[in-house]
Amino acid sequence: MFLTRVRTTAAGCALALSALLTLSGCSLLDDSGTTASSEGGASQNGGGEDAQGTDADIPYDVTPLLKPEKKYFGAAVDGAPNSMKGVDAYTAMTGKQPNLIEYYAAWGDGFDAQGVRNAWAEGALTLVSWEPFDVTLADIAAGEKDAYLKKYAASVRKLNLPVVISFADEMNGHWEKWGTKNVTPKQYVAAWKHIHDTFTDAGASNVIWAWSPNIVNPVKSVELKPYYPGDGYVDWVGVIGYFTLEEDNAYKSVFGPTLDEIRTFTKKPTLILETAAEPGERRRADVRNLFAGVEADDDMLGFVWFDHKKRADWRLKVSPLALKEFKRLAAADVFGFDVRKP
């Protein structure tokens, strides 16, 4: 999928809406609501004794969160998790509180420790989509950006709460700066491994690493395996894909080809890291297909709904019938749980 991310520093996109919706993903947030809090937030005692009842020197054990019995019920909403007002409104709208909150951060942003605390206090895990807009992956791999990287990793370790990190997602698309037009699979894997190793050296084992390709439908000629860092460097495979009016809306049509290809080289659990359905008469059916597909797939951990107006209006509130169906299906016990008690 190809909805180019838009930040305040990015050039405007000249592609037509129909082409964008057919080809693209939707991580289209500008700096408002996504800029992480300063490093000062991470200097406070957030992880250890207050959050877990254990010594902060002992890294948080993320194992129970890697493949829990129930499904993650996630959302990406304005301002969250630095402010939880949007999450609270989403909870009231859908009838269920999200337990996975995704936000977007550029390379160079500080780690939003307070936001992670905010989400954790409401029983939710934070997922950081970390986007290297103004840095090359070659420089990251070569250690040229280690001062920032080590500081970030130290902040994550000091907080000592579980955090999901998805670095440079949609790498199999040509629309990203770190995508196929500018970066080779070898360069991508080298950068990923260097980041992961730096966190390991910092003792930040409280991170769940989500490797997140776009669905292969618009880029069938790009093989995923060469971009995969290896099972030792990945905890989740976070697939990104949207239900659009130009494509068949069966769950297996949208996600099946990608999941089938992934299963040829890894058995890691999968998560629909970013999804939504384009507004229209078919939206209620799209929502039904999403819930049914995720529930039926034992290897699928859950999904994150992108509830933003970016290039298209993906917000649930603009489609009352689809929202009613979403609320009905979200009530199922299999979706959602308190991540503090997995």
Side-chain angles (χ1 to χ4, degrees):
M1 306 274 269
F2 168 58
L3 281 176
T4 305
R5 290 170 172 77
V6 175
R7 299 182 67 86
T8 55
T9 58
C13 180
L15 296 179
L17 174 60
S18 61
L20 285 166
L21 293 176
T22 301
L23 294 177
S24 85
C26 280
S27 306
L28 299 175
L29 300 184
D30 60 21
D31 286 330
S32 61
T34 66
T35 301
S37 59
S38 68
E39 291 294 319
S43 67
Q44 304 169 31
N45 178 26
E49 296 179 349
D50 289 350
Q52 298 170 233
T54 60
D55 193 302
D57 289 336
I58 302 174
Y60 194 100
D61 182 9
V62 300
T63 303
L65 295 168
L66 295 180
K67 195 171 183 182
E69 291 185 6
K70 295 184 179 182
K71 307 284 187 178
Y72 284 101
F73 178 70
V77 300
D78 284 334
N82 195 259
S83 168
M84 295 295 282
K85 290 182 179 179
V87 175
D88 294 341
Y90 188 88
T91 301
M93 178 178 67
T94 64
K96 179 166 285 187
Q97 181 171 308
N99 66 344
L100 183 61
I101 307 300
E102 181 171 9
Y103 81 94
Y104 303 88
W107 184 272
D109 287 350
F111 174 57
D112 189 358
Q114 187 55 55
V116 175
R117 289 192 198 94
N118 294 343
W120 188 257
E122 295 193 16
L125 189 61
T126 297
L127 192 163
V128 184
S129 181
W130 205 4
E131 302 172 322
F133 286 107
D134 299 320
V135 62
T136 67
L137 298 197
D139 281 350
I140 293 175
E144 297 295 327
K145 304 301 177 181
D146 275 4
Y148 164 71
L149 182 57
K150 289 179 179 179
K151 186 176 182 181
Y152 197 103
S155 297
V156 173
R157 172 63 185 92
K158 187 168 186 177
L159 178 63
N160 202 25
L161 287 174
V163 178
V164 184
I165 293 180
S166 172
F167 172 73
D169 62 8
E170 300 182 49
M171 78 301 291
N172 58 317
H174 56 272
W175 49 88
E176 298 291 11
K177 181 180 178 181
W178 52 88
T180 56
K181 282 187 177 180
N182 303 306
V183 176
T184 67
K186 185 176 180 180
Q187 290 170 332
Y188 180 88
V189 169
W192 180 285
K193 287 184 174 181
H194 182 72
I195 291 170
H196 187 284
D197 289 345
T198 300
F199 274 72
T200 298
D201 291 344
S205 59
N206 52 310
V207 175
I208 296 172
W209 294 94
W211 177 75
S212 308
N214 197 85
I215 56 173
V216 300
N217 297 4
V219 283
K220 292 182 175 65
S221 63
V222 180
E223 294 184 4
L224 294 177
K225 186 177 180 180
Y227 288 91
Y228 188 64
D231 283 356
Y233 289 86
V234 172
D235 298 302
W236 292 349
V237 175
V239 179
I240 296 172
Y242 286 71
F243 292 83
T244 63
L245 299 179
E246 291 83 1
E247 298 177 356
D248 186 306
N249 71 333
Y251 177 85
K252 286 192 175 296
S253 297
V254 178
F255 298 106
T258 307
L259 296 174
D260 289 345
E261 184 174 341
I262 287 167
R263 286 295 169 247
T264 65
F265 58 85
T266 182
K267 303 301 180 185
K268 290 290 184 177
T270 53
L271 171 82
I272 298 178
L273 186 130
E274 189 181 299
T275 193
E278 188 177 352
E281 293 183 2
R282 205 185 71 180
R283 199 179 203 195
R284 181 167 56 169
D286 294 343
V287 165
R288 189 180 303 119
N289 290 348
L290 171 65
F291 274 91
V294 171
E295 184 172 359
D297 189 343
D298 290 339
D299 289 328
M300 184 60 69
L301 298 170
F303 68 88
V304 177
W305 183 273
F306 185 84
D307 203 59
H308 292 283
K309 184 180 181 181
K310 298 292 177 182
R311 299 298 175 187
D313 199 340
W314 306 102
R315 297 173 299 172
L316 285 165
K317 70 178 184 180
V318 302
S319 304
L321 292 178
L323 172 57
K324 184 178 180 180
E325 185 72 353
F326 190 98
K327 186 173 183 178
R328 182 183 73 83
L329 296 169
D333 185 59
V334 69
F335 290 101
F337 59 93
D338 189 332
V339 298
R340 297 167 300 184
K341 304 172 183 178

